[in-house]
Amino acid sequence: MTILAPAGAIPHPSRFTHTDADGDRLLISTALFDDGTPGLYFRTDPNGSGLPLTDLDALIAQLQVIAKASRAEADEAAAHPTA
């Protein structure tokens, strides 16, 4: 029996993390939906998390990296399905 952790439970090395001025955290990582569709996983603290516009370019660039990693995870899962 194989038990898969829910999306985002184990953040991918490509993840984007940020802590805002009052300590609220943001995590963006890979996600793989039950049907094999790759995606992005977003998690914040209950109050949400603010990101300064000066960090926007870094976030956008890292979103591309995370998306590529998510596609690779989906391809790997499709090539090695667990039954």
Side-chain angles (χ1 to χ4, degrees):
M1 174 196 265
T2 301
I3 299 174
L4 299 175
I10 303 171
H12 191 273
S14 67
R15 70 187 171 270
F16 177 87
T17 59
H18 175 77
T19 302
D20 69 11
D22 62 352
D24 297 316
R25 296 166 297 170
L26 168 66
L27 166 70
I28 304 172
S29 190
T30 61
L32 185 60
F33 294 93
D34 290 340
D35 67 356
T37 302
L40 300 175
Y41 173 81
F42 293 83
R43 184 172 70 205
T44 66
D45 288 338
N47 292 330
S49 181
L51 182 79
L53 288 180
T54 55
D55 294 341
L56 184 60
D57 289 340
L59 170 60
I60 291 169
Q62 196 61 27
L63 283 172
Q64 292 293 335
V65 172
I66 297 166
K68 183 182 268 188
S70 189
R71 286 185 198 104
E73 284 184 340
D75 291 346
E76 178 69 18
H80 300 97
T82 58

